[in-house]
């Protein structure tokens, strides 16, 4: 098995990319810059991992590796983050701050999603690359910088150049050497290799004991198209391993989405609108939107991008939500009979079913997260949290500057507290394995029986219940230690069955605060109280 900085594979296309990285790394003398490299590939193919692999294998492996997502940082902050600023440049500039170019001096600067860099900043970036110096905002002097530039994009930059959305001079500067990463669907047997790799890593990190895939799970893994590529595969395996209480993971445990046949939609009298030319990014966006029933929050979490970024990309690719009669309906692989029946139902009849309105009480779990990190990382971490929330069936309800609130159990009450806690654990694991050593994410969980209103497929939490849920979560976050995962007594009572829980030290909160220190180490199949619970 060939493994490069956490990327696993044996397919010919994978080996070819690894050989190109080795050739690049060996050509530059020790301590010198590598030529600028552009990595192209669909979302989730591992562009960031390959960029880090090039840095670690290259002549500047001892220097810093600094990554910036050009699509995640607001345009108003991007210039100051990249180039730095002097004291007094703007209202909050109480002291001078070096930019990312200065931070990466002597190492590698990774510019992810370069295609989303605004045109004015493209001009400034070109100047910095050509002159090998940077001028902070508010300064009159240039500072020499010596960095290796690695860029990545899911779009075709040459197409953007022809459309006037990307400067041709910058393209030629950053694409001296180009790596094209294949999508997972073109990597053959690597799907199972990666799945086994992710399963072993998940079991080790969560102390789950040894698990393996059943034959039907292996067939499902190889049959699925993986629009989210390696990232989606890793999330699916992690979720299945955590939610399965037996050592053998079967196909239903994977819970892979299966789009129904589009024949029903094609049977309508409506003429399809002319669509823009297909691109890998457009295809990935469309598949994520259709797989989530055009729910933008779920689609954004699935693609691991902020909701506003998804809206921008939809507009850029001319993607608009279709009318109900032309919308693909989503089912799950574990419900083949229901899928077949629905596929035979005319689309118009599905769209015109009478709506019913009723209210009911469900146990709803709320998860809150507060992010403390350098500004360039905050948006990326919030996107990662949204991905983990969606991974375990939750819904993001509120996103603000450095915080997020989500609920579990709105669609189904099945194990809502456990799913919220597993999402929190997955966030903590992603931070630990992703190298975000200077970031802290504090998380809190609260559970209560809440009144929900159901109108057709729309489910809304009663405002009083929502206010109480999120108010309690905010209070818990205010008392928790940085990077802790805490729960109210109501949440801890329901979670002690699966998790190690201890009273939180020095936390002042009515009813008590309890910290989740890790999944419970009970044998599979054990139910009921598995650890003593203190403080009830």
């Amino acid at each position: 098995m060939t493994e490069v900085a956490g990327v696993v594979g044996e397919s010919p296309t994978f080996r070819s990319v690894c050989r190109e990285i080795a050739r690049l790394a060996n050509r530059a003398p020790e301590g010198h810059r590598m030529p600028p490299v552009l990595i192209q590939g669909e979302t989730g193919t591992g562009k960031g991992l390959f960029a880090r692999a090039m840095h670690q294998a290259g002549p500047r492996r001892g220097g810093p590796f600094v990554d910036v997502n050009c699509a995640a940082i607001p345009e108003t902050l991007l210039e100051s983050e990249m180039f730095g600023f002097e004291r007094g440049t703007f209202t909050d500039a109480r002291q001078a701050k070096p930019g990312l170019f200065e931070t990466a001096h002597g190492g590698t600067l990774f510019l992810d999603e370069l295609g989303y860099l605004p045109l004015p900043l493209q001009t400034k970036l070109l100047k910095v690359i050509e002159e090998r110096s940077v001028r902070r905002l508010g300064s009159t002097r240039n500072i020499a910088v010596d960095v290796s530039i690695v860029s990545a994009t899911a779009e075709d930059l040459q197409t953007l150049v022809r459309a006037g959305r990307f400067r041709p001079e910058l393209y030629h500067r950053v694409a001296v050497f180009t790596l094209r990463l294949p999508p997972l669907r073109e990597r053959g047997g690597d799907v199972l290799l990666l799945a086994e790799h992710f399963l072993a890593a998940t079991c080790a990190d969560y102390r789950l004991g040894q698990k393996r895939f059943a034959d039907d799970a292996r067939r499902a893994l190889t049959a699925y198209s993986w629009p989210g590529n390696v990232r989606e595969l890793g999330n699916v395996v992690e979720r299945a391993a955590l939610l399965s209480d037996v050592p053998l993971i079967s196909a239903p445990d994977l819970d892979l989405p299966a789009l129904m046949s589009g024949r029903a939609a094609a049977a309508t009298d409506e003429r399809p609108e002319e669509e823009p030319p297909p691109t890998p990014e457009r295809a990935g966006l469309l598949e994520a939107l259709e797989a989530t029933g055009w729910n933008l929050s779920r689609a954004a979490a699935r693609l691991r991008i902020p909701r506003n970024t998804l809206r921008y990309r939809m507009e850029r690719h001319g993607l608009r939500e279709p009318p109900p009669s032309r919308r693909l309906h989503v089912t799950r692989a574990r419900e083949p009979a229901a899928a077949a029946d629905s596929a035979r139902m005319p689309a118009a009849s599905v769209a015109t079913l009478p709506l019913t309105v009723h209210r009911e009480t469900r146990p709803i779990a709320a998860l809150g997260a507060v992010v403390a990190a350098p500004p360039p990382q905050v948006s990326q971490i919030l996107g990662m949290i949204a991905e983990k929330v969606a991974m375990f069936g939750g819904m993001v309800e509120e996103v603000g500057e450095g915080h997020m609130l989500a609920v579990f159990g709105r669609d189904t009450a099945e194990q809502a507290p456990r799913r919220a806690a597993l999402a929190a654990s997955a966030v903590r694991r992603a931070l630990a394995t992703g190298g975000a050593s200077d970031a802290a994410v504090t998380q809190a969980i609260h559970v209560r029986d809440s009144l929900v209103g159901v109108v057709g497929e729309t489910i809304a939490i009663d405002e009083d219940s929502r206010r109480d849920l999120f108010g309690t979560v905010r209070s818990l976050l205010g008392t928790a230690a940085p990077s802790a995962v805490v729960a109210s007594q109501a949440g801890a009572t329901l979670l002690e069955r699966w998790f190690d829980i201890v009273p939180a030290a020095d936390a002042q909160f009515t009813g008590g605060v309890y910290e989740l220190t890790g999944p419970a180490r009970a044998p599979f199949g054990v139910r009921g109280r598995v650890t003593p619970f203190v403080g009830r």
Side-chain angles (χ1 to χ4, degrees):
M1 181 184 296
T2 303
E3 188 167 349
V4 179
V7 184
V8 179
E10 280 293 321
S11 65
T13 51
F14 176 86
R15 287 181 170 178
S16 175
V17 173
C18 290
R19 284 194 295 268
E20 291 182 55
I21 290 177
R23 282 198 298 269
L24 272 174
N26 292 331
R27 282 176 181 170
E30 194 70 22
H32 285 62
R33 290 189 310 274
M34 289 196 303
V37 179
L38 175 65
I39 305 175
Q40 293 182 319
E42 296 178 11
T43 298
T45 49
K47 297 185 290 293
L49 289 177
F50 275 99
R52 191 175 291 273
M54 277 189 288
H55 171 73
Q56 293 175 346
R60 293 189 166 186
R61 65 184 67 87
F65 177 85
V66 178
D67 67 316
V68 53
N69 189 315
C70 300
I73 303 177
E75 184 175 344
T76 53
L77 297 178
L78 192 55
E79 183 176 7
S80 61
E81 289 298 329
M82 290 186 69
F83 308 129
F85 55 83
E86 294 292 346
R87 179 181 177 183
T89 303
F90 44 85
T91 303
D92 293 329
R94 296 182 177 86
Q95 60 183 10
K97 179 184 176 182
L100 297 176
F101 269 91
E102 292 180 67
T103 305
H105 181 74
T108 301
L109 179 63
F110 174 48
L111 301 173
D112 197 8
E113 298 287 4
L114 184 64
Y116 291 95
L117 193 68
L119 279 170
L121 283 184
Q122 291 180 24
T123 303
K124 294 186 177 183
L125 176 61
L126 176 63
K127 182 179 176 66
V128 171
I129 293 175
E130 289 181 338
E131 297 182 357
R132 298 179 185 173
S133 65
V134 64
R135 180 180 296 180
R136 295 180 183 177
L137 298 182
S139 176
T140 58
R141 67 184 183 91
N142 290 345
I143 301 173
V145 289
D146 183 13
V147 299
S148 295
I149 301 291
V150 179
S151 308
T153 177
E155 298 189 271
D156 186 345
L157 290 188
Q158 290 180 318
T159 300
L160 296 184
V161 168
R162 289 191 292 270
R165 299 204 299 266
F166 199 85
R167 293 185 62 88
E169 308 96 317
L170 180 59
Y171 171 75
H172 294 303
R173 280 290 185 181
V174 300
V176 174
F177 194 92
T178 301
L179 285 175
R180 291 179 174 83
L181 303 187
L184 185 55
R185 61 183 174 274
E186 296 178 4
R187 291 178 58 180
D190 282 356
V191 172
L192 290 180
L193 276 177
L194 285 162
E196 297 285 0
H197 172 77
F198 290 136
L199 182 60
T202 300
C203 291
D205 289 348
Y206 290 99
R207 307 191 303 272
L208 299 178
Q210 189 174 6
K211 293 193 176 190
R212 60 187 179 89
F213 294 110
D215 290 341
D216 64 339
R218 298 173 73 86
R219 288 192 296 270
L221 288 168
T222 54
Y224 184 54
S225 63
W226 299 109
N229 293 293
V230 179
R231 182 184 297 130
E232 182 184 11
L233 174 61
N235 286 341
V236 166
V237 171
E238 183 178 4
R239 179 187 64 210
L242 288 170
L243 290 177
S244 174
D245 289 332
V246 295
L248 190 64
I249 296 176
S250 61
D253 294 324
L254 298 174
D255 201 20
L256 291 174
L259 286 179
M260 291 169 46
S261 170
R263 295 176 183 174
T268 66
D269 293 331
E270 299 174 8
R271 294 183 60 187
E273 298 179 7
E274 185 177 350
E275 294 184 346
T279 64
E281 183 180 58
R282 189 179 193 278
L285 291 172
L286 186 59
E287 188 154 7
L289 288 164
E290 290 177 340
T292 56
W294 289 82
N295 183 300
L296 298 192
S297 296
R298 288 182 180 271
R302 182 186 180 96
L303 294 168
R304 200 179 178 185
I305 58 176
R307 182 186 170 101
N308 287 341
T309 301
L310 174 60
R311 286 187 178 277
Y312 173 77
R313 294 185 184 181
M314 288 173 62
E315 181 179 349
R316 190 172 190 173
H317 289 285
L319 290 172
R320 292 182 297 276
E321 183 175 355
S325 60
R326 293 182 55 204
R327 199 175 302 164
L328 287 176
H329 298 276
V330 180
T331 185
R332 292 286 178 181
R334 66 172 66 184
E335 300 170 341
D341 292 341
S342 300
R344 290 191 293 268
M345 184 182 296
S349 66
V350 174
T352 57
L353 289 175
L355 295 177
T356 59
V357 181
H358 68 277
R359 293 160 70 85
E360 62 184 55
T361 299
R362 295 182 182 180
I364 300 292
L367 171 65
V370 173
V371 179
Q377 295 184 27
V378 172
S379 294
Q380 293 174 270
I381 293 174
L382 287 174
M384 179 271 291
I385 296 172
E387 175 192 349
K388 301 305 181 185
V389 166
M391 184 170 122
F392 289 97
M395 290 286 293
V396 174
E397 292 283 316
E398 180 181 311
V399 180
E401 291 292 333
H403 79 274
M404 180 178 291
L405 294 170
V407 294
F408 295 77
R410 198 174 76 167
D411 295 336
T412 173
E414 181 185 2
Q415 296 185 347
R418 183 188 182 192
R419 288 176 177 266
L422 288 175
S425 298
V427 168
R428 186 157 54 182
R429 176 181 182 242
L431 288 173
T433 58
S437 57
D438 52 351
V441 177
T442 306
Q443 301 175 85
I445 300 167
H446 178 54
V447 184
R448 64 158 284 172
D449 287 336
S450 304
L451 189 64
V452 298
V454 183
V455 184
E457 295 182 356
T458 302
I459 302 172
I461 303 174
D462 173 76
E463 185 59 32
D464 290 338
S465 298
R466 188 178 186 275
R467 189 182 303 112
D468 178 80
L469 270 169
F470 290 159
T472 301
V473 166
R474 289 189 178 97
S475 298
L476 287 167
L477 289 170
T479 66
S483 299
V485 178
V486 300
S488 63
Q489 179 170 328
T493 302
L494 297 171
L495 291 172
E496 61 169 329
R497 179 176 175 183
W498 294 287
F499 291 84
D500 295 332
I501 297 177
V502 298
D506 302 325
Q508 302 298 320
F509 182 78
T510 304
V513 181
Y514 302 90
E515 185 172 354
L516 280 68
T517 59
R521 304 182 190 182
F524 292 110
V526 173
R527 292 294 179 264
R529 189 183 304 273
V530 294
T531 57
F533 189 73
V534 181
R536 184 174 299 169

